[in-house]
Amino acid sequence: AKEEWPDMFGITPRAQQIGISGSVELVSLDGPFVTLRIEGRFWHKRRTVMGCVASLIGQQIPEVVEVEVEDPDMLEDFDREIDEATGEVVY
């Protein structure tokens, strides 16, 4: 996917200059089910990235019937601030 959409994943100088550092990793492949991990910052919304990667996987491996993310919070487009003392989300 990085070769298909280099700006999205921060592998071009232009994307790196503005802090694009996103990565998508394979967590598991269980028959026709794929689980991915999404980390870092992307040029596009994380749901868009997930859709593009799922589409690419489906094109390359037609037997795949479902592509999901390891943790639904990985699809959120903001960083959460955690209170170190309590472990609660403060932002």
Side-chain angles (χ1 to χ4, degrees):
K2 287 185 176 187
E3 292 78 27
E4 298 283 329
W5 304 293
D7 278 337
M8 187 182 301
F9 291 99
I11 58 174
T12 65
R14 176 175 156 225
Q16 290 172 355
Q17 283 179 333
I18 59 171
I20 304 303
S21 61
S23 70
V24 178
E25 299 175 15
L26 177 66
V27 174
S28 68
L29 175 61
D30 185 15
F33 304 99
V34 175
T35 303
L36 302 175
R37 178 178 300 127
I38 298 178
E39 298 177 311
R41 292 183 60 208
F42 294 91
W43 190 270
H44 301 284
K45 290 184 177 186
R46 287 171 169 251
R47 291 184 189 278
T48 301
V49 172
M50 183 68 177
C52 290
V53 172
S55 176
L56 183 62
I57 290 171
Q59 291 171 16
Q60 299 297 315
I61 312 169
E63 297 81 10
V64 169
V65 296
E66 184 177 311
V67 178
E68 64 182 8
V69 68
E70 180 180 38
D71 178 352
D73 285 344
M74 291 178 177
L75 295 175
E76 298 297 327
D77 286 308
F78 58 88
D79 294 326
R80 293 192 170 138
E81 295 291 326
I82 308 293
D83 183 311
E84 292 182 21
T86 64
E88 293 182 19
V89 176
V90 294
Y91 173 73

